[in-house]
Amino acid sequence: MKILILNEAKRALLTSHTEKRCAASPNTVAKLTRKGIDVFIEQDAGALSLYEDKEFEAAGAHVVDTIEPIISQINILLCVNSPHEELILRLANNAIVIGHIDPFFQKSLVTKLCQTGITTVSVEMVPRTSRAQKMDALSSQASLAGYVMVMKAVANLPSILPMMMTPSGTIKPAKIFIIGAGVAGLQAIATAKRLGASVLAYDTRPVVAEQVESLGAKFLKIDIGDTGETKDGYAKELTEQQKNKLEAAQQKAIADSDIVITTAQLFGRKPPLLIKSSTLEKMRLGSVVVDMAAQSGGNVEGSKAGETIKINGITLVGNGNWSQDVARDATDMYANNIFNLLDEFIDADTGNFLLDLEDDILANCVITHNGAITNDMLTEAYKGA
C-alpha cells in the first residue's frame, strides 16, 4: 500500500491560509513503514512544524520534490485540510482521502469527491465514543486551541493574570470569563487557572458544571429552561427566547471581566452570536475578547476572521487556526490521531485498509464511497441547503 502526505503550506495560494501542520510526524511514519507501507511525503511537508525532510527519511519515508509521478498510484492521501479539486481529479478512483473536509460547508467539494468515486474519510465526523477517542482529531486540536486562546489573550492584556503582593501594593488576579465548556473551553479554563487568574465559566449543558468546578473555576448558573447536548456530546441549539435570556444574564459577567473567551460552536451549523456590540461597550478599556468561532461566523459581533482588532478600546482576537500557533505539538497530535485511525482498520495480513461501513466509526466518518454520499446526516443537511 502507498500513502502520500502533502506539503499543504506549498498550496497556500489555493487556500485561505498557510497550513503549518503536517498529517504525519517522523514517529508515525516509522510506525507505518514498519507495517510494510510505502510512505511518500512531499518535500518540506513538515518544515513549518519544525520537522526536516531528513527526519522523515530516517523514519523510512520517500521524500519527493514533486508528487506528479506518484499521485495517480497512491492508495491513501493523508491531509490536514481537504485537498484541492485539481488534486482530486488526479487520484485513482479507488483512492482514500483522509483529512478535515469540513463537509457541511463544502458541498461542492464533497460532490466532486463523490463523482470521482473516491472514498473520503472526514476526521470531523469521527464519533465521540470511547473506542474512537484516540482518533478524535477535532478534540485534540480543540484542546490545543483552548491553550492558545488564553495565551493570545494574555499577550494582548495590559495587566497580569495572577495576584501579586508587592511592597507597593497588591495586584488582584485578572478575571476571565469562558463561554462554552467543551474540549477547548475546559483547556482554556485549566490554562487560565494555572496562570493564576480568577476564572468563571458558563455552558448551556449543566452536566459540565462539575468538570468546570473540578478545574478550580466557578460555574455561572443561568436558568434558561430546557437545554442539553446531542448524542455526540455537542451543545444543542437554543431557541431565540433562550438566546435573549442568556445574553441578558451574561452581560454582568462580561462587563466585570478582563478577558472573555467564547468557544461556542454548533456541529454542522453556523456558531451562535453570543456577545453583541452593546455588551462590548460595557467592558473596561483594555479588556480582551477572544472569539474562537470568528472564522466560521463568529460568537462576537464585530470580530474579524483571521485578525486582531480594537473596537473602542477593547481588543477582539479572531485569529483562527488556533492550534497552528503550537504547530509542532499540533502536528504530533494530529499525526497520532491519523495513525490510530489507520492502525485500527489496516489488515495486518494484507496491508489493505478495510472499509467496513458497518463499523460504527467508519459508518460515521466515511462520507463518500463508490460514487455515493454515505453519511445520512450529511445527506439530510444537503437537502435543506
Side-chain angles (χ1 to χ4, degrees), residues 4 40 83 135 149 160 167 173 185 206 234 236 288 296 309 320 336 348 372:
L4 174 63
F40 296 85
M135 314 167 200
M149 287 188 291
I160 65 172
Y234 297 96
K236 290 183 177 178
V288 179
S296 54
I309 61 172
N336 285 333

Side-chain angles (χ1 to χ4, degrees), residues 175-179 198-202 220 222 250-251 253-255 257-262 275:
K175 294 181 179 180
I176 298 183
F177 181 38
I178 295 169
I179 304 175
S198 172
V199 183
L200 177 68
Y202 175 74
L220 179 64
I222 304 173
Q250 287 182 343
Q251 274 192 352
I254 293 169
S257 298
D258 300 292
I259 293 172
V260 176
I261 298 174
T262 65
I275 303 178

Side-chain angles (χ1 to χ4, degrees), residues 14 25 37 42 56 74 102 109 135 145 161 180 191 207 224 229 233 241-242 250 261 281 301 304 311 349 362 364:
L14 300 176
S25 67
I37 296 169
E42 196 172 11
F56 286 107
I74 63 150
D102 194 19
L109 175 67
M135 314 167 200
L161 258 60
T191 302
V207 69
I224 57 172
E229 59 185 16
Q241 186 178 6
Q242 286 176 316
Q250 287 182 343
I261 298 174
E281 292 172 1
E301 188 173 13
K304 290 191 176 180
I311 297 180
D349 296 323
L362 294 182
N364 280 277

Side-chain angles (χ1 to χ4, degrees), residues 247-300:
E247 180 191 352
Q250 287 182 343
Q251 274 192 352
K252 184 178 184 301
I254 293 169
D256 195 39
S257 298
D258 300 292
I259 293 172
V260 176
I261 298 174
T262 65
T263 70
Q265 300 190 80
L266 298 172
F267 189 64
R269 299 191 296 276
K270 292 291 185 184
L273 179 65
L274 300 178
I275 303 178
K276 295 180 180 177
S277 54
S278 56
T279 301
L280 288 177
E281 292 172 1
K282 299 179 186 299
M283 297 185 75
R284 292 186 290 271
L285 292 178
S287 298
V288 179
V289 178
V290 182
D291 184 355
M292 182 181 184
Q295 284 194 312
S296 54
N299 294 147
V300 184

Side-chain angles (χ1 to χ4, degrees), residues 31-83:
K31 292 179 182 179
L32 290 169
T33 56
R34 283 199 293 270
K35 289 178 174 289
I37 296 169
D38 286 329
V39 179
F40 296 85
I41 184 163
E42 196 172 11
Q43 191 175 53
D44 292 330
L48 296 185
S49 52
L50 305 181
Y51 282 124
E52 297 180 87
D53 287 342
K54 62 183 180 182
E55 295 179 78
F56 286 107
E57 287 178 322
H62 308 285
V63 176
V64 295
D65 58 0
T66 174
I67 62 173
E68 301 302 328
I70 59 164
I71 185 68
S72 63
Q73 302 171 26
I74 63 150
N75 304 105
I76 298 178
L77 178 67
L78 297 184
C79 312
V80 177
N81 303 290
S82 54

Side-chain angles (χ1 to χ4, degrees), residues 82-85 88 100-102 106-115 120 368 382:
S82 54
H84 193 261
E85 286 189 17
I88 292 169
H100 288 96
I101 308 301
D102 194 19
Q106 296 290 339
K107 183 179 179 181
S108 173
L109 175 67
V110 173
T111 302
K112 182 69 69 177
L113 286 161
C114 192
Q115 290 170 346
T120 311
T368 71
Y382 289 169

